[in-house]
């Protein structure tokens, strides 16, 4: 039965690994993973642990390929592919290259004319989108936001007016902080979903507005996190974006200029945003 899934040698394979439940590994993945001459892994210990969970013995060599050495190792690894070896790239979870190592290796393979194929499978962004209940006809995967507050706020400002659903990864330790920034820039009224530990035993999905989720995330949060956020609605209420205006003003922008930036991003009227911000600030002494 295994031979049914045997794959040609001399190809670079990108293999999606389970994001939680090991039962999500396909029969094709198990066969190619076992038969690989070289397994290039983001974390060799995790790759070997996955093999143990799948109750298989890896026949090939397991080597580390991560963000810090990918550029240096790409050509040597592709030399092995050209020699006719079966090289399989795996990340810690999900599809390689999606917020994981692999892009530089694949780019170099394409430049060298080396065949690249994928063993499709689990992907946290698509899984989170599917269960979110938010529009899935158009979406953008944004990965991790910048860690520095100013950079994160500017990034959110740049995508605030996008009408399609937005998908993010985040550390559980930074979830509350990130949701706070989203409320400030995108407005607390947007619908959103926080997916924690997808496909694992303690899978947990939170639904509500960004303000609701911000309040819920105030305590300790554990596990892998994916956030799905509703796209910008046409029109909207200026009151929903007052926090975004004030956040820009707190960074040093004049209040009118801040209102103008948010108006450009959301399609709302600058004067309405400026007036709503003044009302929020209250009488000035």
């Amino acid at each position: 039965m295994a031979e049914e899934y045997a794959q040609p040698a001399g190809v670079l394979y990108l293999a999606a690994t389970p994001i939680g439940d090991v039962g999500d590994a396909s029969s094709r993945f198990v066969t190619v993973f076992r038969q690989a001459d070289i397994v290039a892994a983001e974390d060799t210990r995790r790759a070997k642990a996955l093999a143990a969970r799948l109750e298989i013995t890896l026949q090939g060599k397991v080597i580390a390929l991560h963000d810090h050495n990918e550029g240096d190792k790409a050509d040597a690894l592709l030399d092995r592919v050209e020699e006719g070896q079966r090289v399989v790239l795996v990340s810690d979870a999900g599809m390689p290259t999606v917020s994981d190592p692999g892009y530089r290796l694949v780019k170099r393979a394409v430049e060298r004319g080396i065949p690249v194929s994928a063993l499709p499978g689990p992907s946290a962004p698509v899984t989170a989108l599917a269960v979110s209940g938010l529009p899935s006809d158009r979406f953008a995967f944004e990965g991790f936001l910048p860690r520095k507050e100013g950079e994160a706020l500017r990034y959110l400002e740049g995508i605030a007016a996008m009408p399609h659903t937005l998908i993010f990864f985040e550390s559980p330790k930074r979830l509350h902080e990130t949701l706070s920034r989203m409320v400030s820039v995108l407005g607390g009224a947007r619908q959103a979903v926080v997916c924690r530990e997808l496909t694992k035993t303690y899978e947990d999905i939170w639904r509500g507005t960004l303000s609701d989720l911000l309040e819920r995330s105030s305590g300790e949060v554990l596990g892998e996190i994916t956030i799905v956020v509703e796209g910008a609605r046409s029109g909207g209420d200026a009151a929903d974006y007052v926090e975004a205006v004030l956040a820009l003003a707190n960074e040093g922008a004049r209040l009118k200029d801040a209102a103008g930036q948010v108006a450009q991003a959301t399609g709302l009227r600058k004067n309405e945003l400026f007036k709503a911000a003044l009302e929020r600030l209250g009488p000035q002494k």
Side-chain angles (χ1 to χ4, degrees):
M1 185 66 172
E3 291 303 315
E4 180 181 350
Y5 299 101
Q7 300 295 301
V11 176
L12 172 64
Y13 290 99
L14 312 180
T17 55
I19 60 176
D21 193 324
V22 72
D24 292 332
S26 69
S27 297
R28 182 178 174 217
F29 168 80
V30 172
T31 298
V32 176
F33 192 40
R34 182 180 63 247
Q35 294 177 345
D37 299 299
I38 299 175
V39 174
E42 182 180 6
D43 186 321
T44 58
R45 292 169 300 181
R46 292 198 179 191
K48 292 174 182 177
L50 175 59
R53 291 167 64 200
L54 291 170
E55 300 182 344
I56 63 175
T57 300
L58 298 178
Q59 298 175 9
K61 182 178 181 181
V62 181
I63 67 169
L65 189 85
H66 45 68
D67 287 332
H68 301 296
N69 71 3
E70 182 179 353
D72 295 332
K73 287 195 172 185
D75 275 310
L77 193 58
L78 294 172
D79 288 343
R80 303 289 81 77
V81 179
E82 285 191 323
E83 291 170 2
Q85 296 189 36
R86 186 181 290 108
V87 176
V88 177
L89 174 65
V90 296
S91 58
D92 290 347
M95 178 60 75
T97 77
V98 181
S99 269
D100 279 327
Y103 163 72
R104 285 173 288 179
L105 179 64
V106 173
K107 183 174 184 294
R108 186 67 183 130
V110 172
E111 291 171 349
R112 290 178 54 170
I114 293 174
V116 180
S117 187
L119 307 180
S123 173
V126 174
T127 302
L129 176 67
V131 302
S132 70
L134 295 175
S136 57
D137 54 337
R138 293 184 61 199
F139 62 91
F141 173 58
E142 302 293 340
F144 288 92
L145 287 175
R147 292 193 178 191
K148 294 183 179 179
E149 182 172 13
E151 293 177 6
L153 291 173
R154 284 189 290 273
Y155 189 93
L156 287 169
E157 289 154 14
I159 61 176
M162 291 184 176
H164 45 263
T165 301
L166 304 170
I167 307 171
F168 304 85
F169 282 161
E170 193 47 276
S171 157
K173 293 182 179 179
R174 294 192 298 271
L175 176 61
H176 186 73
E177 180 179 60
T178 291
L179 289 172
S180 177
R181 291 168 180 170
M182 289 180 173
V183 168
S184 294
V185 177
L186 306 180
R190 282 209 200 189
Q191 292 295 314
V193 179
V194 169
C195 299
R196 190 181 69 82
E197 297 287 83
L198 282 168
T199 78
K200 297 180 182 177
T201 302
Y202 298 104
E203 178 179 283
D204 192 16
I205 298 176
W206 307 351
R207 307 176 192 276
T209 64
L210 281 172
S211 291
D212 294 334
L213 299 180
L214 174 62
E215 182 177 354
R216 185 167 180 177
S217 67
S218 60
E220 183 181 30
V221 179
L222 301 174
E224 302 290 332
I225 301 292
T226 306
I227 308 170
V228 187
V229 183
E230 176 186 30
R233 303 173 186 174
S234 58
D237 190 337
D240 293 337
Y241 296 91
V242 168
E243 293 297 336
V245 175
L246 296 180
L248 291 172
N250 288 335
E251 287 194 326
R254 294 174 59 242
L255 193 62
K256 283 189 176 181
D257 293 337
Q261 290 182 48
V262 176
Q264 186 175 11
T266 62
L268 295 171
R269 297 182 62 181
K270 175 180 175 180
N271 288 342
E272 291 179 356
L273 289 162
F274 180 64
K275 181 180 177 181
L278 286 176
E279 291 176 353
R280 178 71 62 86
L281 291 171
Q284 302 295 302
K285 296 183 180 178

